[in-house]
């Protein structure tokens, strides 16, 4: 990276100055490198929530939140959504280039071969009560993969790192579907070699003995269902240094087992401010229920004394329409037409969006629908239960997590992630025996 510029920071208390280099990336704002600040001026920097701090260099994903731009390895999300598939996009994220046909065939084959889970791992599910949240099962089961792949795993070997990344991508739909089957008490379904990634997932979720459900039992292999699911996976595949990816990076920076690192990412994704938002949107729409009740909920979202927020609205980075939300909104029409015509929740969501986008509170704060405002409506039309929505996100985001893990591991300058703090606790004091307190 060239550093033609620098900024000068001056401490007026003592007149000391530090010249801090400005680092330019290929796109987006440059950054001021502050790593020498403590030795030069004796200060750390303070930036809760990492609002203006770059934690790493990365060549994977670029977002321009003001313009509503999202690029995976330089390719606009709109072009990938139209022409690519989830697995091709995962390859792009991992390798940095779109695959040639033979490369994609080999990658798809690698994924297919790794999609089974160890029979012993299946038994882990028996430890969960049937009503355990699927994300709780995901965190536990994905983390426990580290027990199967640890001793002989050499994460300094790029070939072994690649296999770990493939294994994670491949096993995620199998584990996710197993979470669902466990919760409804149905037998687990093995992945099939003749189905693609999204078809396989839907088959593992919904395949039932045809005697029980009749000839239409394979509704889920309808191309509208499988293509839309593939599109949702592609749109959720990566989003640069979001909370879960940063968690994966932080855990990875210690040299931890990759399966444990991805489990940490799943845990971070679960929260309603992040991947849990799609589940929260559906619950919110159900709670609103009817268009005439929308103003009451908009008023609550604007009330500082009310913790209620309009779920699926707002984003730390996008201060414009989330480009993924626009693509999903369009996809909603096709899926609903096929599987759930006249879904009242879709009508309600469109009305809510229209009212919010014309409200001064949302306009002033530049709050727009994010990726998850409409994704839940599609999942609902595909019969995916609400508590599985964040699991769907986790399957897709695994592509990004492993790409970031691989990038971090290949970076020779990588150091353990260890933030500083502004200590506001008690100054040094002496221990008092109980009777003297
Ligand atoms: N509803 C109502 N008000 C909101 C919303 C919302 N959804 N989002 C932000 N605001 C308001 C805040 O109250 C704040 O108002 P103020 O300036 O008067 O105090 C202002 O907008 C800025 O919001 P912050 O919380 O400072 O923004 P931040 O970047 O920290 O949070 C977040 C971003 C967490 C996404 C937030 O917008 C939110 O909670 N949205 C709802 C949850 C959601 O949809 N999350 C999914 C994010 S996308 C993803 O992870 C896939």
């Amino acid at each position: 990276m060239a550093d033609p510029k620098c900024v000068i920071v001056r401490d007026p208390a003592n007149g000391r100055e530090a010249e801090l280099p400005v680092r330019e990336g290929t796109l987006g704002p440059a950054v001021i490198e502050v790593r020498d600040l403590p030795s030069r001026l004796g200060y750390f920097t303070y930036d809760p929530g990492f609002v203006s701090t770059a934690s790493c260099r990365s060549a994977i994903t670029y977002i321009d939140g003001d313009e509503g731009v999202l690029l995976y390895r330089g390719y606009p999300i709109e072009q990938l959504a139209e022409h690519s598939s989830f697995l091709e996009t995962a390859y792009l994220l991992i390798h940095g280039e779109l695959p040639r046909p033979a490369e994609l065939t080999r990658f798809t084959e690698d994924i297919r071969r790794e999609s089974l889970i160890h029979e012993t791992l299946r038994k882990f599910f028996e430890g969960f009560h049937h009503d355990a949240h699927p994300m709780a099962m995901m965190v536990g089961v994905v983390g426990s993969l580290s027990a199967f792949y640890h001793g002989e795993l050499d994460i300094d070997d790029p070939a072994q790192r690649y296999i770990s990344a493939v294994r994670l991508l491949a096993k995620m739909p199998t584990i996710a579907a197993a979470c669902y089957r466990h919760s409804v008490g149905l037998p687990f379904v093995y992945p099939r070699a003749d189905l693609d990634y999204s078809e396989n997932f839907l088959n593992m979720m919904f395949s039932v003995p045809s005697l029980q459900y009749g000839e239409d039992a394979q509704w889920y292999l309808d191309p509208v269902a499988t293509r839309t699911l593939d599109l949702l996976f592609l749109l959720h595949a990566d989003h640069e240094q979001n909370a879960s990816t940063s968690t994966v990076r932080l855990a990875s920076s210690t040299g931890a087992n990759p399966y444990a690192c991805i489990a940490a990412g799943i845990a971070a994704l679960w929260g309603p401010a992040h991947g849990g938002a799609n589940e929260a949107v559906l619950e919110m729409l159900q709670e609103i229920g009817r268009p005439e009740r929308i103003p009451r909920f908009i008023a609550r979202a604007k009330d500082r004394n009310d913790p209620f927020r309009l779920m699926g609205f707002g984003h730390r980075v996008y201060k414009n329409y989330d480009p993924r939300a626009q693509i999903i909104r369009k996809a909603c029409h096709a899926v609903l037409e096929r599987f759930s015509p006249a879904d009242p929740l879709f009508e309600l969501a469109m009305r809510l969006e229209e009212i919010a986008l014309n409200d001064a509170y949302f306009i002033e704060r530049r709050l727009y629908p994010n990726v998850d405002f409409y994704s839940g409506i599609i999942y609902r039309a595909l019969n995916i239960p609400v508590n599985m929505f964040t699991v769907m996100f986790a399957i897709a985001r695994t592509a990004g997590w492993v790409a970031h893990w691989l990038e971090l591991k290949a970076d020779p300058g990588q150091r353990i992630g260890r933030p500083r703090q502004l200590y506001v606790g008690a100054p040094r004091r002496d221990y008092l025996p109980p009777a003297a307190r």
Side-chain angles (χ1 to χ4, degrees), residues 1 25-27 56-63 71-75 91-97 238-241 249 400 403-408 411:
M1 256 191 309
T26 41
L27 291 171
C56 62
R57 297 173 51 172
S58 181
I60 300 173
T61 291
Y62 173 74
I63 302 172
L71 311 176
Y72 288 168
R73 298 284 189 180
Y75 294 103
Y91 183 101
L92 170 70
L93 290 168
I94 289 171
H95 293 281
E97 295 298 337
D238 193 43
H239 215 228
E240 51 118 309
Q241 312 308 322
R249 277 186 174 267
H404 284 270
W405 176 71
L406 290 167
E407 183 176 65
L408 177 134
D411 179 357

Side-chain angles (χ1 to χ4, degrees), residues 54-113:
S55 61
C56 62
R57 297 173 51 172
S58 181
I60 300 173
T61 291
Y62 173 74
I63 302 172
D64 182 336
D66 287 328
E67 296 299 322
V69 170
L70 170 60
L71 311 176
Y72 288 168
R73 298 284 189 180
Y75 294 103
I77 193 70
E78 294 81 0
Q79 291 183 20
L80 294 168
E82 193 175 341
H83 304 293
S84 186
S85 65
F86 174 64
L87 278 194
E88 186 186 62
T89 298
Y91 183 101
L92 170 70
L93 290 168
I94 289 171
H95 293 281
E97 295 298 337
L98 284 166
R100 295 189 188 93
E103 289 168 331
L104 183 58
T105 304
R106 198 165 56 239
F107 183 62
T108 307
E109 223 9 80
D110 289 347
I111 297 278
R112 197 167 279 151
R113 249 199 315 273

Side-chain angles (χ1 to χ4, degrees), residues 273-274 277 304 309-313 315-316 361 365 370 372:
H274 190 10
R304 275 178 181 277
R309 281 189 162 194
L310 213 55
M311 299 314 291
F313 257 76
H315 198 275
R316 169 61 60 81
Y361 174 95
R365 288 167 182 74
N370 59 48
D372 282 325

